[in-house]
């Protein structure tokens, strides 16, 4: 699974993109975010408040119960501020 | 009918002229131009980051939604990324229709939805260093007026 980080989620984790193989119990967006939070201090800081994390799966916005598959491109970012 | 994400500036006059050129069914064109404004602490530049691929896809979906809601002859969204300074243009939204009401309303709709759904983030340069601009609740409220609203990837319970 490919993970992409944007804006301050990228700054806090120090990662732009990475390939990960999450543990078996990570089957949807909500459990992915929970797992990411456990990966270190930068991740705990970035994902401490799930309310300000937005997730897109294969470039479409996804809800917490959206299922995940091995080849998915998952983007993690704060609320958008364009325009 | 067109969505562009680019680093370069755009020519508003030329873009608007092209929107209705050769289409005599157009009775009105409405446009919105967003600019970088000077913040409280004096001149400050900003860098716009985006998610290549998803940005174009989301803008195209927002545009398609506008075309489902209003009878539009033409639409255009141009959004810039990269480093911009006060006075620089950020975004152009334009819609053309036979009648003014559809043009006005759809242009308003496009910019409201774009601000809450298109994956862009602003990094402001301030006297205390760079700072990510936070999303505004006002923007959510503005977008919500055009309900129903599709999911925005909020993962809070």
């Amino acid at each position: 699974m490919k993970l992409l980080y944007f804006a301050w989620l990228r700054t806090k984790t120090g990662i732009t993109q990475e390939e990960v193989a999450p543990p078996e119990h990570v089957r949807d967006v909500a459990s992915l975010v929970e797992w990411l939070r456990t990966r270190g201090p930068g991740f705990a800081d970035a994902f401490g408040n799930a309310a300000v994390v937005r997730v897109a799966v294969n470039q479409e916005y996804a809800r917490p119960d959206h299922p995940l598959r091995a080849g998915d491109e998952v983007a993690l970012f704060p609320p958008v501020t364009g325009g | 009918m067109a969505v562009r994400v680019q680093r370069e500036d755009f020519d508003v006059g030329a873009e608007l002229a092209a929107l209705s050129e050769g289409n005599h069914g157009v009775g009105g064109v409405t446009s919105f131009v967003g600019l970088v404004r000077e913040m409280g602490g004096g001149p400050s530049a900003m860098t716009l980051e985006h998610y290549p691929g998803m940005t174009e896809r989301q803008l195209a979906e927002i545009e398609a939604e506008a075309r489902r809601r209003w009878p539009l002859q033409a639409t255009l969204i141009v959004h810039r990324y990269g480093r911009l300074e006060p006075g620089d243009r950020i975004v152009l939204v334009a819609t053309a229709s036979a009648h003014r009401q559809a043009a006005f309303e759809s242009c308003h709709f496009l910019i409201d939805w774009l601000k809450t759904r298109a994956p862009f983030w602003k990094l402001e340069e301030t006297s205390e260093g760079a700072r990510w601009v936070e999303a505004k609740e006002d923007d959510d409220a503005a977008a919500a007026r055009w309900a129903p609203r599709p999911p925005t990837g909020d993962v809070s319970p």
Side-chain angles (χ1 to χ4, degrees), chain B residues 43-120:
Chain B
S44 61
M46 67 167 60
T47 299
L48 267 157
E49 177 177 335
H50 78 298
Y51 178 3
M54 181 173 173
T55 310
E56 290 84 349
R57 182 190 288 227
Q58 289 300 316
L59 291 177
E61 283 185 14
I62 294 164
E63 187 189 49
E65 180 65 28
R67 299 176 71 84
R68 275 192 290 274
R69 294 183 181 212
W70 290 276
L72 301 177
Q73 307 270 352
T75 55
L76 174 67
I77 304 174
V78 184
H79 204 300
R80 296 177 69 190
Y81 65 92
R83 190 171 181 281
L84 300 170
E85 298 188 339
D88 283 351
R89 285 174 280 270
I90 305 176
V91 63
L92 167 66
V93 171
T95 57
S97 186
H99 302 287
R100 70 183 182 282
Q101 190 173 347
F104 273 125
E105 288 180 1
S106 58
C107 186
H108 198 167
F109 166 85
L110 282 176
I111 191 67
D112 280 352
W113 266 35
L114 179 158
K115 283 195 81 78
T116 54
R117 297 191 48 82
F120 287 97

Side-chain angles (χ1 to χ4, degrees), chain A residues 25-26 29-39 47:
Chain A
H25 68 83
V26 172
V29 163
S31 54
L32 175 72
V33 172
E34 258 176 58
W35 173 67
L36 288 171
R37 199 180 293 155
T38 67
R39 292 176 73 210
F47 294 98

